[in-house]
Amino acid sequence: MAERIQQELRQMQILHAQSTISEFVTLSIGIATTVPAAPVAPYTLLDEVDRHLYLAKQQGRNRVV
């Protein structure tokens, strides 16, 4: 789903005039999952998503990690 959203945004080719990185708006997405039977605190899951988002940006932006 994340890759599909990213692809749809790419196809829209929204100009990003202020960017020195890309002519068009791009999207980096961090993803984390959990098994409902294994309780995980919401902040723990959000921390993992945040970590993955920063990894995506470090790897060159416009990525799903």
Side-chain angles (χ1 to χ4, degrees), residues 54-61 63-65:
Y54 281 95
L55 282 173
K57 290 181 177 187
Q58 288 172 358
Q59 292 175 12
R61 299 181 175 261
R63 300 184 185 258
V64 176
V65 174

Side-chain angles (χ1 to χ4, degrees), residues 21-22 34 37 45 49-50 56 63:
I21 297 171
S22 176
T34 186
L45 191 59
V49 168
D50 192 51
R63 300 184 185 258

